[in-house]
Amino acid sequence: MATRAGHPAVVIALAFAGGIGVGTGLLMLPTAAAGPEGAGLLDALFTATSAVCVTGLVTVDTGAHWSSFGHVVLAGLMQIGGLSIMTVASLLVVLVSRRLGLRARLVAQAQSGSLDLSDVRRVLRNVVLFSLAGEAVTAVVLALRLHLGYDAGLATAVWEGLFHAVSAFNNGGFVLWPDGMIGFAGDPWMLLPVALAVIVGGLGFPVIFELVRSYRPRTWSVTTRITVVTSGTLLVLGTVVLTGLEYGNPATLGPMGVGDKLLAGFFSAVMPRSGGFSAVDVGSMTPESWLVTDVLMFIGGGSASTAGGIKVTTFGLLALVLWAEMRSEADVDVGTRRIPEANQRQALAVALLGLGLVVVSTFVVLSVTPHATERVLFEVLSALGTVGLSTGITADLPDAAEILLVVLMFIGRLGPLALASALALRERPRRYRRPEERTIIG
């Protein structure tokens, strides 16, 4: 039996904690700051955690506060954080299937699409190559647009294109421009590559691998079906609702043309899945738009991806459970497959624990800050969902609240993954069942 110290969840947590510690130390160096003095411990810790956990929340202006060395450190931390999440999450099935029996190995292999216990090297290589290729393509497009369309110097355009490509594909949310991407709100050559990188990075490597291998939905695994359908539905609904809510808002989409409104609305619907970029002033959005964004941030992106949240697979599975219950069906089916009850309980556990953590954290932050509930809730969900969007109060929060956000970013990045692995590894077959007794519901 594996010891607690050797449990995959513990190993992952220690690895990320170590990365945050190294990043904090590097950002505290005098050469990492643009000013004469290095960053303070809390600012360095907050920024390093945000980068390693690919969140994007900041307490200082990324472009102005950090030096070129500091920017390189941030890009490196985002790359390490995003890439390791993809590789660790993709190989989690391998770790779990080795712990379970032969039948569970076959199930895990089918669900992952291609992961095989005997071919770990190929999986790792494909994840790394795919990540670097996606970042390279995005970087080239952004660099060319900045150089040709905005007269940026070639060296500056290349660096800014590369930095934001790494940030986008890893769902990092860090930007070097003080107003985020608001200055590019009507430019599809800037917004669409970033949005596409966020979507692809947020799908999850097992899903991407399966989509590349086959475009026929009938051949997709249950995980891929739920991820694609749920992600597509949320993107469409998010675009329509957010564009409608902000259509006449003079501080966001109001002054734009119809085409630009649709583009910015689509971009705003993509980013809550964990991207963290903003093409409009989030702090000036309506409370209704904040609430919609809250829901999208809580759901997040795909499993085994760079995105945070409870994951679209969890949300999609719970929706299927609800649909089956409304139709009085005993089983939850997806195509020709039945979802095990253990899977359903795991999804419910992840969702309820996430919801409970949001409520408790929001209460704690409200007790130490004068900000309104809707703004505090937004920041908490942004941290827990590793999104990076902000209504503008992050830098004004007291130290205690900032430390709590650091903890939430860490939990948000590792929590669903670690909880899912812990529940799977603790699953044991029971040789008996107790007598059944119904309880009153409702």
Side-chain angles (χ1 to χ4, degrees):
M1 181 178 295
T3 62
R4 184 175 298 275
H7 192 286
V10 176
V11 174
I12 296 170
L14 291 176
F16 271 79
I20 291 172
V22 172
T24 301
L26 290 174
L27 292 177
M28 290 184 67
L29 295 175
T31 55
E37 298 181 359
L41 175 60
L42 185 54
D43 285 336
L45 174 63
F46 193 99
T47 306
T49 304
S50 186
V52 172
C53 296
V54 286
T55 304
L57 283 176
V58 294
T59 56
V60 295
D61 188 317
T62 302
H65 184 84
W66 304 108
S67 65
S68 298
F69 173 77
H71 294 154
V72 172
V73 171
L74 289 177
L77 293 177
M78 285 189 290
Q79 183 70 79
I80 293 172
L83 189 60
S84 62
I85 273 292
M86 291 187 73
T87 54
V88 169
S90 298
L91 293 175
L92 177 62
V93 176
V94 175
L95 296 175
V96 172
S97 59
R98 180 182 290 120
R99 187 72 173 84
L100 302 177
L102 175 60
R103 180 176 297 180
R105 293 189 188 194
L106 296 175
V107 172
Q109 183 177 349
Q111 290 299 312
S112 64
S114 67
L115 295 182
D116 193 301
L117 293 174
S118 63
D119 203 6
V120 175
R121 283 189 176 183
R122 181 179 63 84
V123 174
L124 283 171
R125 183 180 67 250
N126 288 343
V127 171
V128 173
L129 291 178
F130 179 82
S131 300
L132 296 180
E135 292 169 3
V137 172
T138 306
V140 169
V141 175
L142 294 179
L144 288 175
R145 182 57 177 166
L146 289 170
H147 181 60
L148 300 176
Y150 295 91
D151 297 325
L154 183 59
T156 300
V158 170
W159 166 241
E160 291 184 348
L162 179 60
F163 182 93
H164 294 95
V166 171
S167 182
F169 191 86
N170 292 290
N171 285 204
F174 281 84
V175 292
L176 298 177
W177 306 298
D179 59 348
M181 300 198 71
I182 295 178
F184 309 109
D187 188 348
W189 290 101
M190 290 295 293
L191 296 191
L192 290 181
V194 171
L196 181 60
V198 170
I199 292 173
V200 173
L203 281 177
F205 176 75
V207 172
I208 294 171
F209 188 90
E210 191 167 356
L211 292 177
V212 171
R213 188 180 61 184
S214 174
Y215 290 98
R216 294 177 299 174
R218 291 183 179 180
T219 65
W220 292 350
S221 66
V222 173
T223 298
T224 299
R225 290 189 182 189
I226 294 178
T227 300
V228 172
V229 172
T230 307
S231 296
T233 302
L234 291 175
L235 284 178
V236 172
L237 290 178
T239 300
V240 172
V241 175
L242 288 176
T243 302
L245 290 173
E246 296 297 322
Y247 197 87
N249 188 344
T252 54
L253 301 184
M256 302 181 186
V258 176
D260 292 346
K261 288 180 179 180
L262 292 175
L263 176 62
F266 169 74
F267 193 81
S268 298
V270 171
M271 291 307 120
R273 68 183 293 116
S274 199
F277 297 88
S278 57
V280 297
D281 183 4
V282 176
S284 299
M285 294 171 68
T286 63
E288 294 83 359
S289 296
W290 285 344
L291 181 59
V292 172
T293 305
D294 287 343
V295 174
L296 295 175
M297 290 192 295
F298 182 71
I299 296 172
S303 299
S305 74
T306 59
I310 64 171
K311 303 296 189 292
V312 292
T313 45
T314 302
F315 177 77
L317 178 53
L318 291 177
L320 290 171
V321 172
L322 179 61
W323 177 246
E325 188 64 28
M326 292 174 62
R327 300 175 66 183
S328 298
E329 295 181 351
D331 296 328
V332 178
D333 299 329
V334 178
T336 59
R337 295 291 185 268
R338 175 175 55 86
I339 304 297
E341 292 184 1
N343 243 177
Q344 301 173 37
R345 293 195 301 269
Q346 290 166 9
L348 183 62
V350 170
L352 290 180
L353 287 174
L355 182 61
L357 189 57
V358 168
V359 173
V360 173
S361 301
T362 302
F363 175 81
V364 172
V365 176
L366 282 173
S367 67
V368 297
T369 179
H371 296 293
T373 302
E374 60 266 24
R375 290 183 180 270
V376 171
L377 177 62
F378 193 98
E379 303 295 313
V380 167
L381 281 167
S382 182
L384 186 62
T386 66
V387 179
L389 294 174
S390 174
T391 60
I393 68 172
T394 304
D396 298 329
L397 294 175
D399 291 352
E402 290 185 4
I403 292 174
L404 177 58
L405 292 186
V406 167
V407 175
L408 288 176
M409 287 188 285
F410 188 80
I411 294 176
R413 174 50 70 191
L414 302 177
L417 178 65
L419 179 60
S421 65
L423 291 174
L425 288 172
R426 288 177 60 86
E427 185 177 342
R428 297 288 185 273
R430 297 187 67 174
R431 300 182 182 275
Y432 64 92
R433 301 184 73 180
R434 300 185 185 279
E436 184 179 274
E437 179 179 350
R438 290 183 176 272
T439 183
I440 299 175
I441 302 296

